[in-house]
Amino acid sequence: MPGMEGTELRIIGFLCNWCSYGGADTAGVSRFKQPTDLRIIRVPCSGRVDPLLVVKAFMEGADGVLVSGCHPRDCHYSEGNFYARRRLEVLKRFLPFMGIEPGRFEYTWVSASEGARWQKVVTDFTDQVHALGPRRNFGEGNGGGDIR
Amino acid sequence: MVSREARFLATDNIPALLRRLGNTYRVFAPVKVSDTIVLFQEFAESAGLALDEQTTLPPKELLFPQTEGLVSYRYRKDAEDLEKSEVQVEETLEAPPTIIFGVRPCDARGLTVFDAVFTDGQWRDPYYKARREATTIVTVLCTQPESTCFCTSVGGSPTGIEGSDIILTIVTGGYVAEPVTEKGETLLQDEAFTPAGDKAGEAGEAREKVSVERELELDGIAEQLLDIFGTDFWEQVTAKCISCAACTYVCPTCFCFTITDDTTGIEGSRIRTWDSCMFYLYTLEASGHNPRPTKTERYRNRIGHKFSYHPTSYEGMFGCSGCGRCIKVCPASLDIRQVLREAKAHG
Amino acid sequence: MAILDKLKDGVQRELEGLEFVIGWEQGYDPLHASPLFIRTPGDIDRLIWNPLCVHNLASYLPSLKGRRVGILLKGCDSRSVIQLLQEGLIKREEIVIFGIPCRGVVDLSKIKSRIDTSQMRAVSLMDDAVVIEIPQGREEIPLDDVLATKCLSCQYPTPLIYDHLAGEVLPPQRPTEVLYKEVEVIEELDVQDRLAHWERELDRCIRCYACRNACPLCVCQDYCAAESRNPRWLSQRAGVSEKVMWHIMHALHLAGRCTDCGECERACPMDIPIQRIRRKINKEIKELFGYEAGVNPEDTPPLYTFKVEEPTIQEREW
Amino acid sequence: MRIGVFVCHCGTNIDGTVDSHQVAEEAKKFPHVVYATDYLYTCSEPGQQEIQQAVGEHDLDGVVVAACSPRMHENTFRRTIERAGLNRYMFEMANIREHCSWIGEDREANTHKAIELVRMAVAKVANHVHLHPSYFEVNKRVLVIGAGVAGMQAALDCADGGLDVVLVEKKSSIGGRMAQLDKTFPTVDCSICILGPKMVDVGQHEKIKLCTYSEIEDISGYVGNYTVNIRRKATYVDWGKCTGCGLCMEKCPSKKAYDYHNEGIADTTAINISFPQAIPKKATIDPEYCRQFTKGKCGVCAKVCPLGAIDYEMEDEIVAEEVGAIIVATGYGLLNMEELGEYGAGRYPDVITGIQYERFLNASGPTQGHVVRPSDGEEPKRVVFISCAGSRDASLDRPYCSNFCCMYIAKQAILTRDHIPDSEVYVFYMDTRSPSKGYEEFIRRAQEEYGVQYVRGRVSRIYPKGKRMVVRGADTLLGTQVEVETDLVVLATAATCAPEAEELAEKLRISYDEYGFYMESHPKLRPVETNTSGVFLAGACQGPKDIPAAVGQGSAAASKVLSLFSKDQLESDPQIAQVMELRCVGCLKCADTCPFQAIEEKELPDGRVVGHVIETVCQGCGLCTSICPSGAIQLQQCTDNQLIAEVEALCQAWRERSSG
C-alpha cells in the first residue's frame, strides 16, 4: 500500500476488554475521528499485560506502545490494574535507560463510557510518537555516539 | 605438508598486508573490544590488533557461526486455489574467501576436531565444509603459556601446526611465516612477505624455548571415565557447577548444535544454533522425560564426551585442545584439569 | 580469633548435622577462589576467606531445597537469602548460616583490565592493597580501585541473617551515593547514544545464560522462558534485538527482587556490564516504593503487591 | 490449520470507509487461510449460514470474522461455528468497525488497517486450541441491594418465581424514594397507596429475607457462588421485641433530630419510626441526637418501652449470606442544592427542592398536605418551579437530563393549583420532556386546564424582596427578561448517583460511568446485565428513570436471574488460566497475587509442588500469566504465544510495508 508509506507510524495498543476496549468501541460508535496508526490488541485486563509484551513489540519494530486499562478501583477483576500500574510505571521509567525514548511508551486508564477521552488519548499519543518519528531499533543501522 | 620455505613479515607491514588481502578476502583478526575482551573482528586499521593475548572466544564462530541460516523458505499460495500451496526453499549458505589472522595453535588444532566430525567422516556438513575450504588460518605460535594452558596434556603444542595454513613465529621486528598448506603458500606470495634470511634460524630457536608443562597424564582416561560412570564422583565434582553454557560456548572444540524452524507468517528460515550439553533442554524429550536431568549427568557427559567417547570414535583424538578458556570463564572456577586428575585418581 | 579460624571452628561444630557446608577454597591460580563443598572434617582445612571470595554462594540454595546444608555468607549474600526466604523459595530451618562481616571483595575484571594476569605468579592481599607478581615485576594496586562496585557503597557489611557470626558486627562504612554512579553516566547520555551503548555491549552476548544460572533469584533455571517455545519470547535468530530482549526479560523478572549481588555480571564471560540494567531498575524501585530487596524476610516484593493510592506514581494526564 | 475469513460490510458502516472486498482478497494470502470472502451483513441469518456452509465445504477448523466489536457479536459467531460443528472457541473477531471504519475517513488507510487487524486475528486463531466448559453448582439464592420500588419488584418477582431472596436496604424501612412521594404522574394516584401493598407483600413474603438498616460490607465469589458480608447497623432497638407501638417516640425528649424521610422540612425524635407505613415498622435510635449518646444519660425510651427492646450497647453486626446472583437497585441521589448558588438555595428558606415540596404536599407529611412557606408558615400564593436545576448543565459537569423532573414539576404544579385554588404557578424550563404514554397530555393539562404558566428560559438569579422572592430570568421565546415575585421557589434538583455508588460498584466489580451511574452490558440489548456475570441492574442506579421504567427493570432483572437459575449447573467459562505442570517451578507467585484466590498448591506424585487453578473460581483475568516468570501458567485464549503471534504478525506486516 504505497500511499501509506511515511504517513503512518507503527503503534500497538494493549487494551483491557472491560474498560478501554469498550471505551474505544464507544469512541467508534460516537464516530469520534482518530488517527489510523494504532492497532489494538484485546486482553482481558491491564494486569494481563506482561511488560515483556511491550518490550517484545519494541524489539519487533514498534514505534510506540500504549497500554490502557480500567481506572484504578474500577478493575473488572478488582486488582489487576493496581498491579499493572506498578509494573508499567517501572517499565516506563526503565525503557529510556535502554535507549527507547520516553514518550514511545505510555499507559493510561480509559473507561468504557469515555469515548471522548479515548479519542484524545489516541490522538495525543499518536501525535507524540509522530513528533519522535520512526524509531531506530537495536541492530538497525548505526546510532553514532557512545560512552567514553 | 608443502615445503616450509620461511618468509619474513615485518610488524609494520601487517596493516598493509591485511588491507590488501581485504580486497579479495574477508579478513578477521583479534581486536580488543573492551578492557578485558578480545574478539576476532573484521579487520579495520583503526581498531588495532591484539596479537599478544588469547582471544576471549575461539575463531570457531567464523566457520561455525553461533547462529546460521541453513535455508529460508516461503509458502506460496495459489491465488486461484487457496488449498494449493508450494514451498519455495532457498539455501542460504555463504562462504566467501576468508582469512583468520592471529589464531593460536590450540584453536587451530581445535578445528581439526570439527574437521573430523564435519568433513572427514561418514557425514559431511556442507556449510562447515564450504567455509573451512574457503578459509585460510594464519596462526601465531605461542611464546608464553598462561596459567590455564594445558595444550601439551591433550596432545597439542604451543608451537603446533595442526589445523593451520600458515604459522607465524615471533622474531625481532616481526614474524617468520611458514606455510603449512597450499592455501597458506598462496598467501605468502604477497609482497609483504620478504625472504626470511637468518630470521628463520631465530624463529627456530624461539620455538625451541617455548614449553608448556604437560601437567596431565591422560593415558587410559577414556576407560577410566567409563569405569567411574556410575559413581558419586560426579555429584561431588559438579557441586559447584552452575550449569551455564559458558564453558561450551568458549570451547574451540564443542560443536553441538540445534536446528529450529523460525516461521513468521508464511515465511521463515531453518536456523542452526550452537547448543550446549550443559543445558537442561539439550536432552529434554517431548514426553517431559529428561535422561540428563541434573548438572551432574550433564557435566559427566561433557567430560565423558571430550575424553572418552570422542577419542573412541575418532582414533584417540580428544575433544579438547587445552586452550583453558573453560577454566577462565567458569563463574565457579571449576577447573577441568582438576576434574580429570581426580577422575584418574578416583576408585 | 581470626575470622577464618572462627569459621572453621563453627563449621567443625555444625558439620555433623549437615549434608555439607558451602564455602570457598583456593582456585586454579592465586587470583581465583572457587566454591568449596565441605562434606567431611578433612575438607575444612581447604576453607579460605579473603577478598577473592567473590562468589555469592546463596545461588546454590534454591536447588538444594529439602536438604540440610550450611553456608558461608557475606553481608550482601545474606540479602539473597532473605529474598529467597521472602518468596518461600528456600526454608530457613534447612539452612545453617555462617555470617561473615566483610570489608569488600575484588572485582577480578577490574584487576584484569589493569594488568595482564595471564602469567601471574603470586598474589598477596594486604589490608588496603592487592599485590600481584607478574613476569614484568610486582604490581601493587590499592584495594579500593579493584573492589566490586557494590562494595564501594556497601550498606550491609554484616549479614542481615545468620546463625553464627564470625567476628564482630561491622557498621556500614561506605557512602551510599556512589551506588548509582555508573547508572547515572548512562542516564546522562543522549537517548540515541544509550541505544548505541547497549547495542554495542549486548551484541557481545553469546546467550550462554551464565548470568541467569549464576543469579540466586532466577528460580526458573531449566524452565526459563527465554528458551521455551511455549511461551516463545525469543527465537534462536541472530541479532542484537533478541539479546536485548533476553537481558530485559532477566532484568524485569528481577524487578523488585534483585539484591544487587552482581553475580550476573561477574559470571558473564564477555564482561558485559549487565548489573547496571538491574541497578537502574533497583534505583527506580527504591524511588517509587522506597524498597530495597532482601532486607526484611517479612516484606513482599513491590511488584507483587500494590496500594490503592500510589502517592509516588504520577500518572500521565491526557 | 484451515482458517476461513469472513469480512463484513455491515451495509456501509464498514464498507463505506473500508474496502471490505479487498480485505478479504488480502486475507487469502495469509498463512492457514484457505477461504476468505466478504458479505453484506455477516451477522444476518444468511451471513451466518454462509459461515456454517463454508466450515463444511472447506473443512475449516478456525474462523475469523472481521466485523464489529467482539463485545457485540463474539458470542453470536461462536454459536454459529458451534452449529457448524466447530469448537466455539476456535474463533476470533477483527474489529474493523468501531476501531476502524467508524473512526477514520481515509479509505486507503482504513483498508490497510483492516487488513492488518485481520492478519493479527488469523495469527491468533492459528494458536487457538479447543476449549471445553466445565459445570458447577449454583446457589439459587439471590441478593437484592436496595428496596426501592425497583428492588422490591425484583425481589417479589424472584420470590414468586420460587427463589430465596435476601433484600438489603440501607434505610430502616423499605420503600425508597417512592415512599416519600405524594402522588405519581400522569395518573395522580396516591404513591403510598399503590406502593404500600407492595411493601406489605415484600415484608410478608416467606421467601424474602429482609435486611433493612444494613449495608454491603464486601462481596467475594463469582456467579452462582457469591459470599456477601452484610453490615447490620446498630439500631439500638431489639427489633425482635419492638412492636412499633410508638410510645418511645411520644416520650423521647430529643425532638430536634433530622427527619430524613421528610427531607429536613420538619424535625423528628431521636428514636423514631421513619414513617407510619414503614416496613418493618420498628424504631431506630439516631445516636447523633439521642441524649443517652450525646450527654451520656437519659434512658427515657428504655424506661417507657413496655417490651424492654431498647439496647444502648448494641453494635453493628456482620452477617454472611451465600447467594448465586445479585440484583443492584440502589436508586439515585439528589444534587445537594447548595451547589446551586445562583438560586440562593440553602441560603433562602423559601427556595426548596422538589422532593421537599413533595413532603409538603403529602397528606402524611409534617404539614398534613398543607403547602406552607418554610420561612413563616404562610400559604404561598405564587409558586415558581425551576427545572434542570443542575441537570443539563455542562458548567456543573452534569450534562445529562435527570429524566423525570419535567413530569413531576407538572404534577406538583397541578397539585399546587388543587391545594391552593387561588395560587399562581410558574415553571421555568429549558425543554419539556414527556415521551411516555400519557405524559405529553399531562403537561398539556397542567398548562391548559390548570393554567400553569410555562416560561421557556433559564433563571439567572433569585433574591429576596421583603417576605417574597424575586426570580429573574430570560424568556427565550419572547426574547425578554422576566422577573416574577413569588412566595416559594421549587428547584427540580438534578438526580445524581446514589451516595457511595462508586464504592459499592468496586465491591461488586461492576463499571460505572463518570457520574457514578452503573454501566449496563449493552445500552440497548443488555440493559439490565452488567459485565460481571451474575450481577444485574434495576432502576435508577443505572441512570435516572421514572417509576414504570424502574419497575420494568426490576422485573427484567428478576427474569434474568430466574433464567440464569433455570439450570441446576452453570457452565464455567473455559477461558481461564491453566498450569503447564511440566514447566511450573512452584514459586507460587501466581497464587500470591491472584485476586480470586483461584490458585492453590498441588503436590505431584514425584513430590514436586506446582500451582493448580481452581476452574470455577478463576475469572480469567490473566494476572498470573503476566506474573509467572517461566510462563508456566497461561490464560487460555490469551496465552503469551497468542499475544506474541499477534504482535509478530503485525510487525511483519509493517516490515513488509516499509520494504515495499
Side-chain angles (χ1 to χ4, degrees):
Chain A
M1 195 124 330
M4 301 303 310
E5 190 50 40
T7 60
E8 268 191 8
L9 287 179
R10 300 168 288 192
I11 305 177
I12 302 188
F14 294 96
L15 271 61
C16 86
N17 179 53
W18 304 101
C19 292
S20 295
Y21 196 93
D25 281 356
T26 305
V29 171
S30 314
R31 310 298 201 275
F32 291 153
K33 298 291 174 261
Q34 297 155 44
T36 52
D37 312 46
L38 176 74
R39 307 286 180 264
I40 291 170
I41 293 179
R42 183 168 70 132
V43 292
C45 177
S46 53
R48 169 68 188 86
V49 182
D50 189 331
L52 286 177
L53 274 170
V54 176
V55 178
K56 179 78 181 167
F58 281 122
M59 292 305 127
E60 291 287 322
D63 295 312
V65 182
L66 176 67
V67 177
S68 188
C70 304
H71 288 278
R73 290 169 181 278
D74 288 359
C75 178
H76 181 71
Y77 305 102
S78 310
E79 298 174 351
N81 56 1
F82 288 135
Y83 288 98
R85 178 168 57 184
R86 285 196 160 199
R87 288 187 215 149
L88 297 173
E89 178 66 20
V90 170
L91 181 71
K92 187 178 155 97
R93 289 162 172 245
F94 168 64
L95 288 176
F97 186 73
M98 299 306 289
I100 294 169
E101 289 100 326
R104 291 205 185 269
F105 167 67
E106 295 282 0
Y107 69 96
T108 190
W109 320 119
V110 174
S111 81
S113 64
E114 294 176 320
R117 179 176 157 88
W118 176 251
Q119 178 189 36
K120 186 159 190 327
V121 165
V122 175
T123 308
D124 288 0
F125 183 64
T126 308
D127 287 351
Q128 183 175 312
V129 174
H130 273 270
L132 291 164
R135 186 179 138 259
R136 181 175 90 80
N137 200 357
F138 291 94
E140 280 176 1
N142 198 341
D146 198 357
I147 332 185
R148 86 186 79 195
Chain B
M1 190 188 297
V2 291
S3 71
R4 299 191 62 173
E5 194 201 333
R7 314 277 290 171
F8 178 67
L9 173 63
T11 307
D12 294 347
N13 282 344
I14 293 177
L17 166 70
L18 298 184
R19 191 169 55 237
R20 254 194 317 282
L21 292 174
N23 295 330
T24 344
Y25 299 88
R26 292 188 309 157
V27 179
F28 291 90
V31 173
K32 209 168 170 108
V33 299
S34 81
D35 289 339
T36 54
I37 303 293
V38 177
L39 297 174
F40 282 101
Q41 292 200 328
E42 200 140 12
F43 174 72
E45 246 158 282
S46 55
L49 294 180
L51 291 172
D52 51 355
E53 288 179 53
Q54 186 183 47
T55 52
T56 310
L57 298 178
K60 81 171 171 185
E61 154 80 9
L62 301 172
L63 295 140
F64 185 70
Q66 179 158 12
T67 301
E68 72 177 313
L70 301 179
V71 295
S72 65
Y73 49 83
R74 193 180 169 84
Y75 292 91
R76 260 175 92 111
K77 281 187 172 180
D78 186 332
E80 296 306 308
D81 181 1
L82 300 183
E83 306 277 327
K84 276 196 211 154
S85 72
E86 59 178 51
V87 191
Q88 280 184 316
V89 181
E90 208 176 308
E91 194 181 67
T92 46
L93 171 62
E94 272 177 45
T98 301
I99 290 168
I100 311 178
F101 188 87
V103 174
R104 292 293 176 114
C106 52
D107 289 343
R109 186 161 179 264
L111 292 176
T112 62
V113 174
F114 273 79
D115 295 342
V117 177
F118 287 138
T119 65
D120 301 344
Q122 189 181 350
W123 293 279
R124 304 282 159 89
D125 183 88
Y127 296 88
Y128 174 79
K129 191 164 183 286
R131 288 205 190 87
R132 183 75 168 107
E133 281 164 3
T135 302
T136 308
I137 305 289
V138 182
T139 299
V140 178
L141 300 184
C142 292
T143 53
Q144 273 285 330
E146 297 191 10
S147 59
T148 44
C149 288
F150 64 107
C151 57
T152 49
S153 300
V154 292
S157 154
T159 54
I161 60 167
E162 290 169 89
S164 303
D165 296 300
I166 294 176
I167 53 168
L168 301 179
T169 309
I170 301 175
V171 292
T172 328
Y175 299 83
V176 166
E178 292 161 82
V180 181
T181 63
E182 299 271 2
K183 269 193 289 192
E185 185 70 52
T186 318
L187 217 65
L188 290 189
Q189 304 310 311
D190 187 278
E191 59 190 86
F193 296 95
T194 53
D198 52 7
K199 299 275 186 193
E202 189 188 336
E205 281 165 34
R207 282 203 292 269
E208 290 296 307
K209 274 195 271 176
V210 186
S211 76
V212 172
E213 186 200 345
R214 188 173 171 200
E215 52 181 316
L216 298 176
E217 181 44 69
L218 294 177
D219 281 351
I221 187 75
E223 297 74 24
Q224 171 68 2
L225 288 174
L226 294 180
D227 286 348
I228 63 169
F229 187 87
T231 67
D232 65 356
F233 168 77
W234 295 106
E235 200 195 328
Q236 308 232 342
V237 84
T238 58
K240 65 173 72 167
C241 170
I242 62 166
S243 199
C244 71
C247 51
T248 54
Y249 282 6
V250 301
C251 176
T253 64
C254 274
F255 51 71
C256 288
F257 59 81
T258 184
I259 292 177
T260 43
D261 281 359
D262 194 68
T263 311
T264 316
I266 52 168
E267 61 188 10
S269 50
R270 172 160 299 178
I271 51 186
R272 168 160 77 178
T273 40
W274 294 353
D275 201 348
S276 168
C277 55
M278 299 307 292
F279 285 148
Y280 177 81
L281 289 179
Y282 183 81
T283 45
L284 179 64
E285 295 169 8
S287 65
H289 172 67
N290 195 332
R292 293 183 205 141
T294 74
K295 61 187 178 183
T296 299
E297 295 85 13
R298 302 201 280 273
Y299 190 81
R300 178 178 67 194
N301 180 71
R302 176 168 153 82
I303 298 298
H305 183 257
K306 288 193 175 303
F307 296 97
S308 182
Y309 328 140
H310 195 272
T312 305
S313 307
Y314 294 96
E315 298 164 1
M317 174 193 269
F318 289 131
C320 172
S321 69
C323 74
R325 285 191 185 87
C326 57
I327 307 167
K328 276 197 213 172
V329 301
C330 179
S333 296
L334 180 53
D335 184 347
I336 194 171
R337 296 168 298 188
Q338 186 61 21
V339 173
L340 290 168
R341 243 179 251 126
E342 287 177 24
K344 278 216 79 171
H346 192 81
Chain C
M1 199 162 34
I3 288 179
L4 181 60
D5 294 328
K6 282 187 183 158
L7 285 171
K8 286 182 174 174
D9 190 52
V11 172
Q12 180 87 49
R13 279 186 282 125
E14 291 271 10
L15 188 59
E16 202 176 308
L18 300 170
E19 206 169 316
F20 46 72
V21 175
I22 316 173
W24 301 271
E25 65 178 329
Q26 192 54 55
Y28 61 88
D29 73 9
L31 207 49
H32 289 82
S34 179
L36 167 68
F37 286 67
I38 301 168
R39 295 167 199 271
T40 64
D43 295 334
I44 296 177
D45 276 347
R46 285 155 66 191
L47 187 66
I48 61 165
W49 164 246
N50 62 39
L52 298 174
C53 297
V54 293
H55 318 76
N56 177 359
L57 304 174
S59 299
Y60 294 108
L61 288 179
S63 64
L64 298 171
K65 200 177 173 187
R67 298 160 75 173
R68 250 186 90 71
V69 300
I71 187 161
L72 273 58
L73 295 177
K74 307 185 285 283
C76 48
D77 306 341
S78 76
R79 292 178 61 195
S80 304
V81 169
I82 289 178
Q83 193 58 39
L84 289 166
L85 288 169
Q86 211 186 81
E87 297 180 30
L89 299 167
I90 55 174
K91 290 202 173 111
R92 181 67 183 92
E93 64 273 19
E94 289 174 355
I95 305 159
V96 175
I97 300 171
F98 302 90
I100 309 173
C102 167
R103 292 176 191 278
V105 292
V106 161
D107 179 343
L108 291 178
S109 67
K110 285 188 183 173
I111 292 184
K112 287 175 185 167
S113 65
R114 290 173 73 116
I115 54 170
D116 177 4
T117 58
S118 59
Q119 271 109 36
M120 166 206 45
R121 287 170 188 150
V123 173
S124 26
L125 297 156
M126 322 294 220
D127 270 353
D128 54 359
V130 185
V131 180
I132 299 174
E133 283 172 49
I134 52 174
Q136 293 79 6
R138 197 167 168 279
E139 290 271 351
E140 181 168 331
I141 312 173
L143 194 57
D144 271 14
D145 287 8
V146 290
L147 279 187
T149 307
K150 64 174 174 180
C151 303
L152 295 173
S153 59
C154 177
Q155 297 305 303
Y156 306 99
T158 308
L160 295 168
I161 188 170
Y162 53 78
D163 298 298
H164 307 280
L165 185 66
E168 298 301 312
V169 169
L170 202 59
Q173 291 165 336
R174 298 284 183 173
T176 46
E177 312 85 70
V178 294
L179 178 60
Y180 301 122
K181 224 172 77 192
E182 294 162 339
V183 168
E184 281 155 10
V185 169
I186 298 172
E187 285 173 336
E188 279 156 23
L189 294 176
D190 179 78
V191 67
Q192 285 301 325
D193 292 343
R194 272 177 255 160
L195 183 115
H197 167 71
W198 289 117
E199 193 170 54
R200 195 178 66 94
E201 294 287 353
L202 295 176
D203 196 26
R204 214 154 65 223
C205 170
I206 54 173
R207 293 170 78 172
C208 69
Y209 297 113
C211 49
R212 171 191 75 194
N213 289 32
C215 175
L217 289 163
C218 265
V219 292
C220 307
Q221 294 291 350
D222 295 341
Y223 304 94
C224 177
E227 293 182 285
S228 74
R229 287 179 81 79
N230 183 17
R232 179 177 162 281
W233 288 103
L234 285 100
S235 79
Q236 296 289 326
R237 267 176 284 158
V240 67
S241 66
E242 296 286 315
K243 298 172 183 180
V244 175
M245 183 75 196
W246 154 244
H247 287 284
I248 293 182
M249 173 188 274
H250 192 186
L252 287 179
H253 281 171
L254 285 167
R257 306 170 61 230
C258 173
T259 63
D260 198 34
C261 75
E263 284 295 273
C264 50
E265 184 165 319
R266 190 187 65 74
C268 178
M270 305 306 285
D271 285 344
I272 304 172
I274 43 178
Q275 195 176 359
R276 283 166 212 183
I277 304 177
R278 287 137 189 81
R279 207 170 267 157
K280 165 69 178 173
I281 294 179
N282 286 352
K283 182 177 172 224
E284 298 303 332
I285 294 270
K286 177 104 200 222
E287 202 176 300
L288 276 170
F289 310 115
Y291 183 86
E292 230 181 344
V295 176
N296 178 358
E298 307 304 317
D299 281 341
T300 303
L303 295 192
Y304 302 146
T305 182
F306 62 85
K307 282 188 191 150
V308 173
E309 302 294 338
E310 300 277 8
T312 52
I313 298 180
Q314 300 296 317
E315 278 164 35
R316 153 116 199 223
E317 292 299 324
W318 296 86
Chain D
M1 286 275 293
R2 299 174 61 82
I3 297 172
V5 175
F6 301 85
V7 184
C8 181
H9 292 221
C10 198
T12 57
N13 278 311
I14 291 171
D15 199 50
T17 57
V18 167
D19 186 339
S20 305
H21 179 69
Q22 198 197 335
V23 174
E25 286 305 303
E26 288 294 322
K28 290 178 179 171
K29 299 177 187 163
F30 299 157
H32 307 292
V33 173
V34 294
Y35 181 73
T37 187
D38 52 305
Y39 196 79
L40 195 56
Y41 286 105
T42 308
C43 63
S44 67
E45 182 146 4
Q48 293 190 49
Q49 271 164 4
E50 182 161 310
I51 295 176
Q52 282 172 248
Q53 206 175 335
V55 167
E57 275 174 21
H58 298 276
D59 200 15
L60 303 180
D61 51 15
V63 169
V64 169
V65 171
C68 50
S69 171
R71 286 162 55 94
M72 181 86 185
H73 273 319
E74 188 169 58
N75 280 326
T76 311
F77 290 118
R78 278 185 175 162
R79 283 193 296 269
T80 307
I81 68 163
E82 192 164 53
R83 280 195 298 276
L86 289 190
N87 181 280
R88 80 173 99 131
Y89 294 99
M90 299 304 287
F91 174 74
E92 198 63 30
M93 280 188 89
N95 183 343
I96 61 167
R97 194 178 74 175
E98 285 85 343
H99 291 187
C100 188
S101 72
W102 276 351
I103 57 166
E105 280 155 350
D106 181 338
R107 189 174 166 86
E108 191 182 350
N110 282 356
T111 303
H112 193 81
K113 178 173 176 179
I115 291 166
E116 290 177 1
L117 292 173
V118 170
R119 187 162 172 169
M120 291 158 74
V122 168
K124 190 173 180 196
V125 168
N127 284 276
H128 274 357
V129 293
H130 290 204
L131 298 179
H132 302 281
S134 54
Y135 296 86
F136 61 93
E137 299 292 327
V138 188
N139 179 351
K140 293 186 180 178
R141 294 182 85 213
V142 58
L143 169 75
V144 179
I145 308 174
V149 70
M152 284 164 44
Q153 185 65 48
L156 282 171
D157 285 358
C158 287
D160 288 345
L163 303 180
D164 284 315
V165 179
V166 180
L167 178 57
V168 173
E169 167 58 45
K170 195 188 249 181
K171 299 229 167 80
S172 58
S173 169
I174 61 172
R177 286 284 176 200
M178 193 175 164
Q180 292 178 286
L181 306 184
D182 178 35
K183 301 285 191 304
T184 58
F185 57 79
T187 47
V188 203
D189 45 0
C190 163
S191 182
I192 199 71
C193 308
I194 53 175
L195 185 70
K198 222 179 238 307
M199 288 167 64
V200 173
D201 286 350
V202 169
Q204 294 181 346
H205 207 296
E206 57 178 10
K207 288 276 192 189
I208 298 178
K209 178 174 174 185
L210 261 188
C211 298
T212 60
Y213 214 57
S214 298
E215 290 180 28
I216 302 301
E217 186 73 7
D218 59 62
I219 297 171
S220 57
Y222 48 93
V223 60
N225 294 284
Y226 285 107
T227 302
V228 184
N229 282 319
I230 299 167
R231 175 179 294 273
R232 304 202 71 155
K233 294 179 286 183
T235 56
Y236 307 107
V237 177
D238 183 343
W239 283 11
K241 294 176 182 164
C242 177
T243 57
C245 71
L247 199 57
C248 52
M249 282 179 81
E250 276 172 39
K251 302 291 182 196
C252 178
S254 171
K255 297 190 189 304
K256 292 279 176 200
Y258 187 84
D259 188 342
Y260 292 94
H261 190 70
N262 283 319
E263 296 288 334
I265 63 164
D267 296 324
T268 183
T269 46
I271 185 164
N272 66 70
I273 296 166
S274 57
F275 59 101
Q277 302 87 344
I279 285 182
K281 196 172 180 187
K282 306 285 180 188
T284 308
I285 291 178
D286 185 341
E288 216 182 304
Y289 296 94
C290 172
R291 291 185 184 172
Q292 185 67 33
F293 288 91
T294 56
K295 299 214 162 69
K297 59 177 183 187
C298 177
V300 171
C301 51
K303 282 182 208 118
V304 301
C305 178
L307 291 146
I310 309 299
D311 175 7
Y312 299 117
E313 306 299 314
M314 192 183 271
E315 285 181 1
D316 289 7
E317 192 189 346
I318 306 287
V319 182
E321 291 285 355
E322 311 275 330
V323 299
I326 300 172
I327 294 173
V328 190
T330 46
Y332 64 99
L334 285 164
L335 180 66
N336 180 359
M337 68 171 178
E338 279 165 35
E339 279 189 44
L340 304 165
E342 70 273 30
Y343 300 146
R347 271 181 294 151
Y348 309 133
D350 295 337
V351 178
I352 63 171
T353 64
I355 191 81
Q356 288 177 324
Y357 194 65
E358 199 76 31
R359 295 307 301 159
F360 280 118
L361 290 169
N362 198 312
S364 63
T367 57
Q368 289 77 45
H370 297 302
V371 177
V372 296
R373 224 162 44 170
S375 59
D376 57 5
E378 300 270 311
E379 190 175 74
K381 292 299 174 198
R382 194 181 274 170
V383 179
V384 170
F385 289 89
I386 299 173
S387 71
C388 300
S391 314
R392 305 179 67 197
D393 190 341
S395 70
L396 286 172
D397 244 356
R398 206 170 288 100
Y400 60 84
C401 167
S402 289
N403 181 299
F404 42 64
C405 319
C406 288
M407 294 309 298
Y408 83 65
I409 286 173
K411 175 194 74 181
Q412 292 183 343
I414 289 172
L415 291 173
T416 307
R417 296 275 293 132
D418 261 348
H419 282 61
I420 315 166
D422 59 344
S423 62
E424 286 178 279
V425 178
Y426 288 82
V427 175
F428 280 85
Y429 73 102
M430 288 166 70
D431 307 282
T432 58
R433 298 192 165 172
S434 51
S436 288
K437 193 156 87 178
Y439 285 16
E440 177 62 17
E441 298 91 313
F442 187 68
I443 287 186
R444 285 266 168 201
R445 269 175 69 202
Q447 292 168 338
E448 291 164 8
E449 226 173 280
Y450 288 86
V452 177
Q453 302 198 42
Y454 273 71
V455 182
R456 188 175 195 275
R458 273 286 209 200
V459 171
S460 58
R461 211 181 141 212
I462 297 173
Y463 58 94
K465 186 178 178 191
K467 296 180 83 177
R468 306 188 90 187
M469 308 295 299
V470 178
V471 177
R472 179 189 285 169
D475 184 328
T476 54
L477 292 179
L478 297 175
T480 58
Q481 285 284 324
V482 282
E483 279 195 2
V484 182
E485 234 180 86
T486 180
D487 298 309
L488 189 64
V489 178
V490 179
L491 303 178
T493 45
T496 65
C497 67
E500 289 153 27
E502 286 98 337
E503 288 83 341
L504 181 64
E506 285 154 19
K507 289 172 188 166
L508 287 160
R509 301 194 304 275
I510 60 176
S511 317
Y512 48 89
D513 67 18
E514 55 197 300
Y515 313 111
F517 292 111
Y518 298 154
M519 296 277 293
E520 63 283 9
S521 260
H522 190 278
K524 285 130 197 147
L525 303 177
R526 303 175 73 191
V528 298
E529 287 154 273
T530 67
N531 283 329
T532 299
S533 179
V535 177
F536 303 93
L537 303 176
C541 63
Q542 178 266 348
K545 52 181 61 67
D546 60 15
I547 294 166
V551 171
Q553 283 208 329
S555 287
S559 84
K560 282 286 168 192
V561 172
L562 285 162
S563 82
L564 179 75
F565 287 175
S566 65
K567 301 174 206 96
D568 292 329
Q569 288 193 317
L570 287 185
E571 207 178 86
S572 74
D573 189 337
Q575 299 175 96
I576 56 168
Q578 211 175 66
V579 177
M580 289 182 267
E581 290 176 353
L582 271 178
R583 284 195 64 72
C584 178
V585 297
C587 71
L588 296 170
K589 296 186 190 336
C590 51
D592 294 342
T593 50
C594 174
F596 306 97
Q597 291 82 49
I599 303 169
E600 57 189 7
E601 259 186 66
K602 173 180 171 187
E603 197 176 320
L604 297 178
D606 66 359
R608 272 173 59 225
V609 169
V610 296
H612 175 73
V613 177
I614 310 164
E615 265 179 277
T616 49
V617 182
C618 175
Q619 299 294 293
C621 71
L623 188 62
C624 51
T625 306
S626 61
I627 271 175
C628 177
S630 71
I633 187 164
Q634 292 288 337
L635 176 63
Q636 299 306 296
Q637 207 80 349
C638 192
T639 62
D640 285 335
N641 272 3
Q642 288 179 311
L643 295 179
I644 291 167
E646 286 189 88
V647 170
E648 283 184 344
L650 176 59
C651 293
Q652 191 183 36
W654 281 337
R655 280 193 295 274
E656 283 168 16
R657 192 208 307 178
S658 59
S659 65

